[in-house]
Amino acid sequence: MSSDSPNVALFVTCLVDLMRPSVGFAAVKLLEDAGCAVSVPATQTCCGQPAYNAGDRADARAIARQVIEAFEGFTYVVAPSGSCAAMIKIHYPGLLADEPGWAARAEALAGRTHELTQFLSDVLEVDEIAAQYQGIVTHHDGCSGLREMGIKEQPRALLGRIGGLALRESPKAEACCGFGGTFCVKYPEISAHILDEKIDDIAATGADTVIAGDLGCLLNIAGRLKRRGLAVKARHIAEVLAGSTAAAIGEP
Amino acid sequence: MDATSSAFPENSRRALADERLQEALHRLADGFPARRREAVDRLPEFDQLRAQARAVKDHVLENLDSYLERFAAKVEEAGGHVHWCRDALEARQTVLRICRDAGARTVTKSKSMVGEEIAINEHLEAHGIEPVETDLGEYIIQLRREAPSHLIAPAIHLSKDQVTETFKAAHGEFPVGRRLDEPRAMLDEARTVLRKRFVEADVGITGANMIIAETGTAVVVTNEGNADLTMTLPKVHIAITGIEKVVPTLDDAVTVLRLLARSATGQDVTVYTTFATGPRRDDDVDGPDAFHVVLLDNGRSALMESDFRDILRCIRCGACLNHCPVYSAVGGHAYGWVYSGPMGSVLNPGLVGIEEAHHLPNASTFCGACEEVCPVGIPLPKMLRHWRERAFRARAVGATGRAGMRAWAFLALRPRLYRAVTGAVMAVLGALGRRRGRFRRLPLAGGWTVARDLAAPQGPTFISQWAQRRRERS
Ligand code: SF4
């Protein structure tokens, strides 16, 4: 790796770290293939969204400070998740706005943080993807990525460069999947109802695979696809772009 | 109206099991959002209008006292009266007093959410005065003794058949065997009944979508024209509205009107837009002899001084309801009080207390669709989060959820311990789930697995594999 390759820290996200490391390795591969030097700070755990969204502001702040410390000193911070990237980029500055010393550090980190597909498309301007994929896919837009980060075209542009892949859009690609973090376990019936509409839309596209950029949405969607006995597979976009051979989510 | 917001989980389960309601909600979700989209696309300056309306509203909230005083002075100048009411009780008493002074036996009413907020119908009835709702949807639910389930489509939860049943039961004066299966026939029948009521009424009560400070005018929009008959036929017109509805000028009112119908139903403008200023003047052909404006605070001033001030910009268009996945799943009644959907989940805790309404801010996926469509840019998810923070501080959240959350945060703040604990759990789950790749059931994961399988973790965590890889490489 040359000394002028972009110096990127991967924010793995807790779900990828714990549930599906193959997404993390796919992200590393994509970044390295694009010429980045990738580091993975070892003191990272979680971005703090569970606490933040539960109204536990004190813990959310403490976690934010820990993330800031772990990720200072890198040119870029990249996360394979629209919602965790939004937490760092959009919410940390507000969370730490009145903490002397930390506000500026939060702003600085926010300025360097990107979601993976956004980083590949907009910053690195990747225009070649080596992976092949035989099949029809549909893309689900995770809410935070879409509405807070403005991620819409980037994943589609990248998927469009994969040989063999056909993208079939659902008119309701932007509809929420009903995950919502702890929402899905606090109000399981409502969540399941929203999720079923999502599943019906996905099924209606005729795609064999649903792709998204957030493992939260994907675990939710895959879990219901399996429960309903549908054959549609669910995969994180990083895995598809990197040509990962890991079994699809929820498959042995 | 007694709040049942604390029963939100039970309310919503009932709603999800109600097939007719589900059909109605599907019709709503297929209709309003698409029509709004088309209306917005037809108006290139929509976003600019939005910014303008937001600025108007923010400016008003900064200077609320002076605009309200100016409004009141103008109303008096035109020969009307303004009544300042701190809470629902004062507002009810004021309206009752005006009705009694007018010797009223029946009052007609056009749709008013503030009327719901102060439960004016129940109060008038209890004192021997009959209120008659004249908006078709409101009329239907009044016959059924139900509350509105949507800001602008109060009977949206009902099917056509239910309306037929209701009319057959209520309108004994019509032949029993009449055909009443088409909306047109229902409308005609309601018209016939209501025409008589319009003429009999002694007092007409309307809401006000806005009040204008420079002219002392109450602005009322409808698609049925019922507000016009309500305010012009009886001797007395009472407009009841919240203090946050004031705008400085007629021009400002027009800015808001241009956003309102487009955001609500996708119409460029409502069918009727009426500007009511004072009682009938000598050269007016019609109009009431007396004009009263009841200005309700009911917790709004307190919101002014809080994290929730932005919600006072709300123009009650209903777009946030129409685009909300949770509202679309359970409908308005599940929220258990007057307002529903995202705006209701922000407003109700402020008006009935967070203890009663603590579920509402929690029952959101934070998908952000509401904020995206709100014509006055209210950051609804942010405000829902503020309520969660208050509830968390007040320990109004469930003890188990709270303990679980704190335990997670405790671990997340201790990376070494976190690694040890999560690494061990994932290794076990990974091994247990390897054969099927997922779990149908798992201890402590019941909330998840009621509706969905849980994918098994792949095994060793990313961080541990990464460390391993580093060691091997070096
Ligand atoms: S919060 Fe915004 S979108 Fe919702 S009703 Fe009020 S103005 Fe309309």
Side-chain angles (χ1 to χ4, degrees):
Chain A
M1 203 70 42
S2 75
S3 60
D4 58 355
S5 30
N7 169 358
V8 174
L10 182 69
F11 184 82
V12 188
T13 80
C14 61
L15 285 179
V16 167
D17 176 31
L18 305 183
M19 301 293 287
R20 210 166 159 82
S22 54
V23 173
F25 287 110
V28 170
K29 178 177 188 315
L30 290 165
L31 292 166
E32 287 182 346
D33 286 355
C36 302
V38 180
S39 308
V40 180
T43 53
Q44 60 178 301
T45 56
C46 163
C47 68
Q49 267 187 97
Y52 184 55
N53 289 341
D56 179 0
R57 210 173 163 89
D59 279 327
R61 283 188 194 203
I63 295 173
R65 288 192 296 258
Q66 176 175 285
V67 171
I68 291 170
E69 276 180 335
F71 284 85
E72 271 169 342
F74 298 95
T75 316
Y76 300 106
V77 175
V78 173
S81 156
S83 90
C84 305
M87 180 67 193
I88 298 174
K89 196 174 182 70
I90 314 284
H91 297 283
Y92 279 9
L95 202 49
L96 297 173
D98 53 6
E99 288 195 36
W102 286 100
R105 292 169 76 180
E107 289 285 355
L109 180 65
R112 287 183 280 118
T113 300
H114 303 268
E115 181 273 343
L116 177 67
T117 61
Q118 226 166 17
F119 187 66
L120 294 173
S121 268
D122 301 347
V123 179
L124 299 179
E125 299 180 2
V126 167
D127 55 11
E128 246 175 88
I129 299 286
Q132 294 285 315
Y133 194 93
Q134 296 310 319
I136 304 168
V137 306
T138 190
H139 187 271
H140 161 71
D141 297 306
C143 296
S144 305
L146 175 71
R147 299 195 182 86
E148 295 188 298
M149 300 287 285
I151 300 166
K152 179 76 187 179
E153 298 310 324
Q154 300 90 335
R156 289 170 173 78
L158 293 166
L159 289 173
R161 302 192 185 284
I162 296 184
L165 179 145
L167 178 65
R168 203 167 289 163
E169 289 285 358
S170 153
K172 294 186 180 162
E174 297 185 359
C176 178
C177 73
F179 172 59
T182 51
F183 170 84
C184 71
V185 293
K186 273 194 201 152
Y187 304 97
E189 295 89 355
I190 303 174
S191 172
H193 180 95
I194 300 171
L195 177 52
D196 268 334
E197 309 234 317
K198 177 92 292 183
I199 298 292
D200 293 343
D201 290 336
I202 291 169
T205 63
D208 54 58
T209 303
V210 53
I211 293 176
D214 271 276
L215 193 51
C217 312
L218 283 164
L219 289 169
N220 188 41
I221 292 170
R224 187 69 182 167
L225 283 167
K226 293 289 169 217
R227 181 63 58 92
R228 282 177 49 177
L230 295 168
V232 183
K233 293 181 170 30
R235 284 187 178 277
H236 193 283
I237 187 161
E239 294 182 352
V240 177
L241 293 173
S244 163
T245 53
I249 298 171
E251 312 251 316
Chain B
M1 176 177 183
D2 289 331
T4 63
S5 303
S6 57
F8 178 81
E10 297 79 46
N11 296 349
S12 54
R13 273 194 283 275
R14 213 176 313 121
L16 289 167
D18 181 339
E19 278 173 31
R20 288 209 271 201
L21 174 63
Q22 290 303 323
E23 275 171 36
L25 290 169
H26 269 119
R27 279 196 301 276
L28 175 92
D30 291 339
F32 284 152
R35 289 204 291 274
R36 173 194 172 275
R37 181 76 260 159
E38 287 161 19
V40 169
D41 289 345
R42 280 197 303 271
L43 192 73
E45 67 268 35
F46 189 80
D47 280 334
Q48 194 189 324
L49 270 179
R50 243 168 135 165
Q52 230 172 305
R54 183 186 171 149
V56 166
K57 284 281 186 173
D58 279 338
H59 170 77
V60 164
L61 294 175
E62 281 298 324
N63 305 280
L64 191 58
D65 295 359
S66 71
Y67 281 116
L68 285 171
E69 277 162 22
R70 213 174 298 174
F71 169 76
K74 284 290 171 185
V75 171
E76 307 279 341
E77 220 174 87
H81 306 280
V82 172
H83 308 266
W84 305 86
C85 299
R86 249 170 315 190
D87 54 22
L89 180 68
E90 278 189 20
R92 281 197 289 268
Q93 287 170 343
T94 304
V95 173
L96 178 64
R97 199 178 55 244
I98 300 169
C99 291
R100 279 190 168 154
D101 289 350
R105 275 170 311 160
T106 66
V107 308
T108 39
K109 260 194 77 212
S110 80
K111 186 172 165 32
S112 158
M113 292 309 286
V114 166
E116 296 298 318
E117 211 180 305
I118 66 172
I120 190 60
N121 287 1
E122 290 85 335
H123 192 66
L124 291 176
E125 266 170 359
H127 292 84
I129 297 173
E130 188 194 359
V132 182
E133 293 287 353
T134 62
D135 170 273
L136 182 60
E138 289 283 350
Y139 175 68
I140 295 164
I141 58 174
Q142 187 185 25
L143 291 178
R144 299 172 60 89
R145 307 208 71 81
E146 289 175 343
S149 64
H150 189 284
L151 281 176
I152 61 155
I156 193 74
H157 57 284
L158 296 174
S159 67
K160 217 168 56 180
D161 299 348
Q162 285 168 299
V163 179
T164 306
E165 286 158 29
T166 305
F167 277 13
K168 292 229 161 168
H171 299 158
E173 63 271 44
F174 295 92
V176 183
R178 69 193 183 281
R179 289 201 61 176
L180 204 53
D181 42 9
E182 285 308 312
R184 181 76 236 175
M186 296 182 206
L187 188 65
D188 287 342
E189 182 163 315
R191 276 226 169 105
T192 312
V193 176
L194 285 173
R195 192 162 301 140
K196 198 162 139 272
R197 312 310 311 262
F198 275 125
V199 178
E200 303 173 335
D202 308 293
V203 173
I205 301 176
T206 70
N209 297 84
M210 273 176 286
I211 51 178
I212 304 174
E214 72 171 353
T215 55
T217 301
V219 185
V220 186
V221 302
T222 70
N223 279 326
E224 298 167 16
N226 60 306
D228 302 84
L229 296 176
T230 301
M231 68 172 88
T232 49
L233 291 177
K235 295 187 300 272
V236 180
H237 172 202
I238 308 173
I240 52 179
T241 197
I243 53 172
E244 82 283 15
K245 293 287 176 60
V246 66
V247 295
T249 67
L250 271 165
D251 279 346
D252 296 328
V254 171
T255 303
V256 173
L257 286 173
R258 294 185 70 196
L259 290 166
L260 180 56
R262 290 186 169 91
S263 302
T265 56
Q267 293 165 282
D268 292 337
V269 67
T270 38
V271 180
Y272 297 87
T273 303
T274 306
F275 295 78
T277 313
R280 174 183 190 163
R281 281 154 299 219
D282 292 339
D283 52 350
D284 284 349
V285 285
D286 56 15
D289 298 336
F291 175 66
H292 297 268
V293 181
V294 173
L295 286 178
L296 179 69
D297 185 322
N298 206 27
R300 289 164 171 79
S301 305
L303 289 176
M304 282 281 296
E305 305 310 321
S306 71
D307 292 337
F308 305 101
R309 173 191 278 216
D310 291 346
I311 194 64
L312 297 174
R313 289 203 297 267
C314 175
I315 60 171
R316 309 286 192 266
C317 70
C320 59
L321 281 64
N322 301 339
H323 291 77
C324 175
V326 175
Y327 178 92
S328 302
V330 301
H333 288 156
Y335 291 77
W337 202 60
V338 175
Y339 301 103
S340 59
M343 61 76 71
S345 297
V346 174
L347 202 49
N348 291 353
L351 303 185
V352 300
I354 187 65
E355 293 73 20
E356 171 62 34
H358 70 274
H359 278 296
L360 307 188
N362 278 294
S364 161
T365 63
F366 282 154
C367 77
C370 50
E371 181 174 0
E372 189 176 35
V373 297
C374 177
V376 285
I378 299 174
L380 292 150
K382 180 170 146 195
M383 277 182 232
L384 295 173
R385 191 179 291 107
H386 280 322
W387 276 124
R388 294 187 189 184
E389 285 164 2
R390 289 219 182 170
F392 192 87
R393 282 203 301 274
R395 298 181 174 270
V397 284
T400 3
R402 189 188 173 91
M405 191 52 63
R406 300 250 28 211
W408 173 256
F410 180 88
L411 277 183
L413 285 165
R414 287 162 185 78
R416 281 166 160 279
L417 182 63
Y418 175 93
R419 270 315 138 243
V421 173
T422 57
V425 173
M426 294 309 135
V428 172
L429 290 180
L432 284 175
R434 185 157 308 136
R435 204 173 49 81
R436 288 193 69 230
R438 57 185 182 272
F439 303 98
R440 277 190 76 83
R441 247 182 296 280
L442 203 64
L444 301 177
W448 180 274
T449 55
V450 267
R452 37 182 116 52
D453 291 359
L454 177 65
Q458 286 171 327
T461 65
F462 177 86
I463 298 283
S464 64
Q465 293 186 54
W466 180 261
Q468 178 92 25
R469 190 170 119 166
R470 292 280 110 157
R471 277 195 297 277
E472 283 163 10
R473 281 198 185 173
S474 59

